[in-house]
Amino acid sequence: MKRAVVVATHDGLISLSTGVGVVTHNFIEAFDEIKKKANLEDDTVLICLSPFLKETSKDFREELKNKTAEVCSSNNGHLVILDTLSDGNSQKSMWRGLHQWSKASESAAKFIEDIKDDYDSLIVFAHDTIFAGIRKYIPNLKNVKIIWVPHSLGYVFDDEYTDKGRINMEKESIDAIRKTEGDFIGYIGSHNKKILHERYNVEKEKLKPLINGVFEKSDLFNVDEKTIEEQFKENNIPSDKKIIFCWGRCTYQKGYDLLIPAFKEFYKRNTDYHIVLVMPTETTMPEYLEKIKGLISELPEESVSTSFNFNNYLCFSMFKRPNLEIIVFPSRFEGAPLTPLEAIEFADERVRFVYSPIPQMKEIFGNNKRGIMFDEFRIDSICDAIEKAKETLEDPEILVPSSFVDNYVNGLEIVLKGENECV
């Protein structure tokens, strides 16, 4: 059987600004291992589809594009840049909103239709809202199996891109998948599964696990000691203070507007602490960025280190910092967050976690003694949780994140099993 695996995503192939990007980049890195463990044919072709992004854009990552192209080429495939409504200036333009999502799905569908006769089977991993609609444009292609992997959903995300138009588009896309034998929706966490079943009326048999996990061998985590020390110096991170760390996109979703004033209150009684914030702004609304910079300006200068660029080297370096004490996850909503999984994998077992009271965080931390949940999205509630996290644990429990490779192998095996049953 001549087979192709197609990956359609707005991030992770030529840019890296979001959790979606980390997941899809990990898939590319681990593809040969996944292919082997899932018993895919050796000659399986890998093709990657990305919306256009200018090489002059600050979000463009040449080394990432080269890696993607290299892995595709070694699997007899190639990287394809889709013509969409994006002007290519930024990651924000690649994502954009409802009309861009429809155009990107249509462009991906047109490409798949053009190559359908070259393969007996095409398995398409369509990541996030932007590629939800592919099946609507190719309803009758029987040798194509669409696996839509929503990393965000309109009924979960309360952000500037969510309205009735988005939810209606998601529902239309889901209906097309529900009507097509062999298609399914990959849920990245149990809460997303629940929302898809209860709010979008997706039958349980159409929901299959593609749970977010950590690919510990990723080059994103391959940082040598020299680079680690350089990151500390370049970002003015002290070695003589206890560190509180938080990282993620600079958006309302991530809760920095509450965390920063909470730390301000905490610092009044704990001047031996220092907060490090890594807040990439590729998808940040200007008014929110202005607000965050204003809040940071109210902190004593010696109490905070900030970076507004995506800097995975710095994030990984922080895990290795011997004076790292507390990591905070103040998100208001999530799909299935990667940051706590990475922290669990790489941070020292003595590091404590402060997390928000959303189902996705509760699922990860449960009743583990290393985790302190704040009760409400209020400054004082977060401040109190950080105070509690100061306590040293005598016998911390070991948390083990799920394996990215194993999770995707499991998902592919389900697809292949269904394919064989249809023969």
Side-chain angles (χ1 to χ4, degrees):
M1 175 181 285
K2 191 172 183 183
R3 189 194 310 277
V5 171
V6 180
V7 179
T9 180
H10 75 284
D11 193 31
L13 303 178
I14 59 177
S15 61
L16 191 59
S17 304
T18 66
V20 182
V22 173
V23 169
T24 51
H25 177 63
N26 286 170
F27 184 83
I28 302 307
E29 291 181 294
F31 182 72
D32 289 332
E33 185 177 347
I34 292 170
K35 181 172 71 171
K36 183 177 180 180
K37 287 186 175 180
N39 295 314
L40 281 169
E41 298 85 352
D42 289 340
D43 60 352
T44 298
V45 172
L46 176 65
I47 300 171
C48 291
L49 310 181
S50 171
F52 170 61
L53 181 68
K54 292 177 181 176
E55 294 193 2
T56 54
S57 168
K58 64 180 179 62
D59 299 332
F60 177 77
R61 299 277 292 271
E62 183 175 7
E63 78 283 2
L64 204 67
K65 180 180 180 181
N66 292 342
K67 177 69 174 182
T68 301
E70 174 191 332
V71 176
C72 287
S73 178
S74 68
N75 286 280
N76 304 307
H78 50 288
L79 169 63
V80 177
I81 305 300
L82 298 174
D83 180 23
T84 68
L85 299 180
S86 171
D87 59 14
N89 284 325
S90 66
Q91 171 64 214
K92 189 181 294 185
S93 175
M94 292 172 76
W95 178 251
R96 198 169 180 176
L98 186 61
H99 296 299
Q100 164 71 347
W101 301 338
S102 297
K103 179 61 177 177
S105 289
E106 183 180 12
S107 294
K110 176 64 168 59
F111 174 83
I112 292 165
E113 187 170 30
D114 288 345
I115 66 169
K116 69 181 187 302
D117 294 333
D118 298 335
Y119 302 95
D120 301 306
S121 168
L122 289 100
I123 299 173
V124 180
F125 288 94
H127 285 277
D128 220 0
T129 312
I130 186 171
F131 289 110
I134 292 177
R135 178 55 79 183
K136 290 194 302 180
Y137 297 102
I138 46 173
N140 301 313
L141 298 190
K142 302 301 183 184
N143 66 327
V144 176
K145 299 189 182 302
I146 305 293
I147 306 169
W148 180 45
V149 188
H151 297 261
S152 59
L153 288 164
Y155 279 132
V156 177
F157 274 54
D158 179 22
D159 62 15
E160 65 272 20
Y161 295 104
T162 298
D163 56 18
K164 289 183 179 179
R166 172 182 180 164
I167 292 172
N168 288 337
M169 187 274 286
E170 289 172 339
K171 288 181 175 180
E172 290 174 3
S173 300
I174 286 170
D175 283 344
I177 290 171
R178 291 172 63 203
K179 293 173 184 175
T180 307
E181 185 177 4
D183 286 4
F184 71 77
I185 298 173
Y187 60 86
I188 60 175
S190 61
H191 185 68
N192 265 30
K193 178 184 181 183
K194 180 180 179 181
I195 294 295
L196 286 161
H197 177 58
E198 295 181 357
R199 303 294 301 275
Y200 292 90
N201 300 314
V202 182
E203 301 86 349
K204 288 185 177 179
E205 57 268 24
K206 276 288 186 181
L207 295 169
K208 306 299 181 183
L210 282 175
I211 307 299
N212 278 355
V214 174
F215 181 46
E216 68 281 356
K217 293 183 287 187
S218 172
D219 57 16
L220 296 177
F221 307 123
N222 184 20
V223 186
D224 57 41
E225 290 299 323
K226 181 181 178 182
T227 301
I228 290 174
E229 289 303 318
E230 288 173 350
Q231 290 297 321
F232 296 153
K233 291 178 182 177
E234 290 174 8
N235 292 279
N236 299 314
I237 297 169
S239 59
D240 60 346
K241 286 192 172 185
K242 299 172 184 177
I243 299 295
I244 297 173
F245 180 43
C246 182
W247 80 107
R249 291 176 298 114
C250 186
T251 60
Y252 171 81
Q253 172 192 351
K254 300 300 183 179
Y256 291 111
D257 52 297
L258 294 175
L259 173 59
I260 295 168
F263 175 76
K264 180 182 177 181
E265 292 303 310
F266 172 83
Y267 186 76
K268 291 176 181 178
R269 300 178 298 278
N270 300 275
T271 56
D272 55 334
Y273 277 79
H274 185 92
I275 193 166
V276 177
L277 303 169
V278 180
M279 304 173 287
T281 60
E282 287 85 353
T283 59
T284 306
M285 301 300 286
E287 58 271 22
Y288 189 78
L289 179 58
E290 183 179 354
K291 179 177 183 177
I292 293 305
K293 288 185 175 181
L295 291 172
I296 291 171
S297 70
E298 297 175 7
L299 296 177
E301 187 175 349
E302 70 278 5
S303 72
V304 60
S305 299
T306 59
S307 172
F308 289 102
N309 299 310
F310 183 87
N311 186 339
N312 203 71
Y313 287 156
L314 175 56
C315 293
F316 184 75
S317 298
M318 287 305 305
F319 298 143
K320 302 300 182 182
R321 193 70 173 165
N323 55 327
L324 175 63
E325 295 280 331
I326 300 168
I327 301 178
V328 188
F329 305 101
S331 295
R332 288 180 167 95
F333 49 89
E334 289 283 357
L338 289 171
T339 49
L341 300 182
E342 293 170 355
I344 289 167
E345 176 72 31
F346 296 110
D348 190 275
E349 65 181 40
R350 62 180 175 70
V351 173
R352 276 87 72 205
F353 307 113
V354 171
Y355 63 96
S356 63
I358 61 175
Q360 296 85 345
M361 293 295 181
K362 293 178 182 179
E363 181 180 346
I364 291 171
F365 293 109
N367 296 317
N368 190 277
K369 290 184 291 186
R370 292 175 65 190
I372 304 295
M373 186 184 78
F374 59 83
D375 297 323
E376 298 181 59
F377 288 99
R378 297 199 327 263
I379 293 168
D380 60 333
S381 184
I382 297 174
C383 183
D384 289 345
I386 296 174
E387 285 280 2
K388 290 178 184 177
K390 286 167 47 182
E391 300 173 11
T392 301
L393 294 176
E394 295 293 331
D395 184 25
E397 299 172 66
I398 303 300
L399 287 159
V400 180
S402 59
S403 164
F404 176 84
V405 169
D406 290 347
N407 293 347
Y408 266 76
V409 168
N410 181 45
L412 265 173
E413 286 177 340
I414 291 170
V415 176
L416 298 174
K417 180 181 177 182
E419 187 174 77
N420 293 334
E421 289 174 350
C422 292
V423 173

mmCIF file of all heavy atoms in Angstrom, residues 340-355:
data_model
loop_
_atom_site.group_PDB
_atom_site.id
_atom_site.type_symbol
_atom_site.label_atom_id
_atom_site.label_comp_id
_atom_site.label_asym_id
_atom_site.label_seq_id
_atom_site.Cartn_x
_atom_site.Cartn_y
_atom_site.Cartn_z
ATOM 1 N N PRO A 340 3.069 22.738 32.004
ATOM 2 C CA PRO A 340 3.242 21.941 33.222
ATOM 3 C C PRO A 340 3.847 20.574 32.956
ATOM 4 O O PRO A 340 4.586 20.051 33.798
ATOM 5 C CB PRO A 340 1.819 21.839 33.794
ATOM 6 C CG PRO A 340 0.908 22.195 32.691
ATOM 7 C CD PRO A 340 1.660 23.116 31.798
ATOM 8 N N LEU A 341 3.556 19.992 31.787
ATOM 9 C CA LEU A 341 4.152 18.694 31.454
ATOM 10 C C LEU A 341 5.661 18.820 31.313
ATOM 11 O O LEU A 341 6.422 17.951 31.765
ATOM 12 C CB LEU A 341 3.542 18.149 30.162
ATOM 13 C CG LEU A 341 2.030 17.905 30.148
ATOM 14 C CD1 LEU A 341 1.601 17.320 28.814
ATOM 15 C CD2 LEU A 341 1.611 16.992 31.295
ATOM 16 N N GLU A 342 6.101 19.911 30.681
ATOM 17 C CA GLU A 342 7.541 20.133 30.529
ATOM 18 C C GLU A 342 8.199 20.377 31.882
ATOM 19 O O GLU A 342 9.303 19.878 32.149
ATOM 20 C CB GLU A 342 7.770 21.322 29.597
ATOM 21 C CG GLU A 342 7.339 21.055 28.163
ATOM 22 C CD GLU A 342 7.327 22.299 27.288
ATOM 23 O OE1 GLU A 342 7.563 23.411 27.811
ATOM 24 O OE2 GLU A 342 7.077 22.170 26.076
ATOM 25 N N ALA A 343 7.519 21.127 32.741
ATOM 26 C CA ALA A 343 8.071 21.400 34.068
ATOM 27 C C ALA A 343 8.195 20.112 34.884
ATOM 28 O O ALA A 343 9.194 19.883 35.570
ATOM 29 C CB ALA A 343 7.202 22.415 34.800
ATOM 30 N N ILE A 344 7.184 19.273 34.806
ATOM 31 C CA ILE A 344 7.213 17.997 35.527
ATOM 32 C C ILE A 344 8.352 17.122 35.026
ATOM 33 O O ILE A 344 9.041 16.452 35.802
ATOM 34 C CB ILE A 344 5.860 17.276 35.373
ATOM 35 C CG1 ILE A 344 4.780 18.013 36.174
ATOM 36 C CG2 ILE A 344 5.956 15.820 35.812
ATOM 37 C CD1 ILE A 344 3.375 17.575 35.838
ATOM 38 N N GLU A 345 8.565 17.138 33.726
ATOM 39 C CA GLU A 345 9.615 16.305 33.122
ATOM 40 C C GLU A 345 11.007 16.787 33.505
ATOM 41 O O GLU A 345 11.889 15.969 33.825
ATOM 42 C CB GLU A 345 9.472 16.324 31.595
ATOM 43 C CG GLU A 345 10.565 15.579 30.843
ATOM 44 C CD GLU A 345 10.471 14.071 30.968
ATOM 45 O OE1 GLU A 345 9.346 13.543 31.102
ATOM 46 O OE2 GLU A 345 11.538 13.419 30.957
ATOM 47 N N PHE A 346 11.247 18.103 33.509
ATOM 48 C CA PHE A 346 12.623 18.592 33.566
ATOM 49 C C PHE A 346 13.004 19.328 34.855
ATOM 50 O O PHE A 346 14.190 19.431 35.161
ATOM 51 C CB PHE A 346 12.892 19.511 32.368
ATOM 52 C CG PHE A 346 12.805 18.805 31.044
ATOM 53 C CD1 PHE A 346 11.770 19.059 30.161
ATOM 54 C CD2 PHE A 346 13.765 17.874 30.684
ATOM 55 C CE1 PHE A 346 11.694 18.411 28.939
ATOM 56 C CE2 PHE A 346 13.699 17.214 29.466
ATOM 57 C CZ PHE A 346 12.663 17.478 28.587
ATOM 58 N N ALA A 347 12.043 19.867 35.587
ATOM 59 C CA ALA A 347 12.396 20.596 36.808
ATOM 60 C C ALA A 347 12.750 19.623 37.929
ATOM 61 O O ALA A 347 12.253 18.494 37.977
ATOM 62 C CB ALA A 347 11.250 21.507 37.238
ATOM 63 N N ASP A 348 13.587 20.075 38.836
ATOM 64 C CA ASP A 348 13.992 19.259 39.979
ATOM 65 C C ASP A 348 12.770 18.891 40.822
ATOM 66 O O ASP A 348 11.815 19.671 40.925
ATOM 67 C CB ASP A 348 14.997 20.044 40.833
ATOM 68 C CG ASP A 348 15.641 19.174 41.892
ATOM 69 O OD1 ASP A 348 15.034 19.037 42.971
ATOM 70 O OD2 ASP A 348 16.739 18.652 41.649
ATOM 71 N N GLU A 349 12.797 17.728 41.452
ATOM 72 C CA GLU A 349 11.637 17.241 42.187
ATOM 73 C C GLU A 349 11.303 18.085 43.415
ATOM 74 O O GLU A 349 10.207 17.982 43.974
ATOM 75 C CB GLU A 349 11.852 15.787 42.619
ATOM 76 C CG GLU A 349 12.979 15.579 43.601
ATOM 77 C CD GLU A 349 13.157 14.110 43.960
ATOM 78 O OE1 GLU A 349 13.041 13.256 43.063
ATOM 79 O OE2 GLU A 349 13.422 13.832 45.135
ATOM 80 N N ARG A 350 12.228 18.945 43.849
ATOM 81 C CA ARG A 350 11.942 19.806 45.004
ATOM 82 C C ARG A 350 11.160 21.051 44.592
ATOM 83 O O ARG A 350 10.628 21.774 45.456
ATOM 84 C CB ARG A 350 13.244 20.231 45.686
ATOM 85 C CG ARG A 350 14.128 21.034 44.790
ATOM 86 C CD ARG A 350 15.434 21.488 45.400
ATOM 87 N NE ARG A 350 16.232 22.149 44.396
ATOM 88 C CZ ARG A 350 15.956 23.333 43.869
ATOM 89 N NH1 ARG A 350 14.907 23.993 44.300
ATOM 90 N NH2 ARG A 350 16.723 23.856 42.956
ATOM 91 N N VAL A 351 11.064 21.356 43.271
ATOM 92 C CA VAL A 351 10.336 22.542 42.796
ATOM 93 C C VAL A 351 8.843 22.338 43.010
ATOM 94 O O VAL A 351 8.292 21.264 42.736
ATOM 95 C CB VAL A 351 10.643 22.797 41.304
ATOM 96 C CG1 VAL A 351 9.764 23.928 40.761
ATOM 97 C CG2 VAL A 351 12.113 23.135 41.115
ATOM 98 N N ARG A 352 8.173 23.377 43.511
ATOM 99 C CA ARG A 352 6.726 23.322 43.715
ATOM 100 C C ARG A 352 5.980 24.058 42.603
ATOM 101 O O ARG A 352 6.541 24.922 41.943
ATOM 102 C CB ARG A 352 6.341 23.934 45.068
ATOM 103 C CG ARG A 352 6.469 22.971 46.221
ATOM 104 C CD ARG A 352 7.871 22.969 46.792
ATOM 105 N NE ARG A 352 8.134 24.195 47.529
ATOM 106 C CZ ARG A 352 9.364 24.695 47.721
ATOM 107 N NH1 ARG A 352 10.422 24.090 47.221
ATOM 108 N NH2 ARG A 352 9.545 25.791 48.408
ATOM 109 N N PHE A 353 4.706 23.699 42.439
ATOM 110 C CA PHE A 353 3.890 24.258 41.363
ATOM 111 C C PHE A 353 2.650 24.948 41.937
ATOM 112 O O PHE A 353 1.966 24.387 42.803
ATOM 113 C CB PHE A 353 3.443 23.158 40.399
ATOM 114 C CG PHE A 353 4.579 22.317 39.877
ATOM 115 C CD1 PHE A 353 4.685 20.973 40.217
ATOM 116 C CD2 PHE A 353 5.548 22.872 39.059
ATOM 117 C CE1 PHE A 353 5.731 20.199 39.741
ATOM 118 C CE2 PHE A 353 6.597 22.101 38.577
ATOM 119 C CZ PHE A 353 6.691 20.766 38.921
ATOM 120 N N VAL A 354 2.381 26.146 41.452
ATOM 121 C CA VAL A 354 1.148 26.851 41.777
ATOM 122 C C VAL A 354 0.309 26.886 40.500
ATOM 123 O O VAL A 354 0.804 27.294 39.439
ATOM 124 C CB VAL A 354 1.438 28.286 42.278
ATOM 125 C CG1 VAL A 354 0.139 29.090 42.396
ATOM 126 C CG2 VAL A 354 2.163 28.230 43.622
ATOM 127 N N TYR A 355 -0.960 26.469 40.586
ATOM 128 C CA TYR A 355 -1.747 26.340 39.354
ATOM 129 C C TYR A 355 -3.180 26.815 39.550
ATOM 130 O O TYR A 355 -3.692 26.885 40.667
ATOM 131 C CB TYR A 355 -1.721 24.905 38.832
ATOM 132 C CG TYR A 355 -2.335 23.875 39.762
ATOM 133 C CD1 TYR A 355 -3.662 23.470 39.612
ATOM 134 C CD2 TYR A 355 -1.586 23.290 40.788
ATOM 135 C CE1 TYR A 355 -4.220 22.511 40.435
ATOM 136 C CE2 TYR A 355 -2.138 22.328 41.618
ATOM 137 C CZ TYR A 355 -3.462 21.943 41.438
ATOM 138 O OH TYR A 355 -4.008 20.997 42.270
#
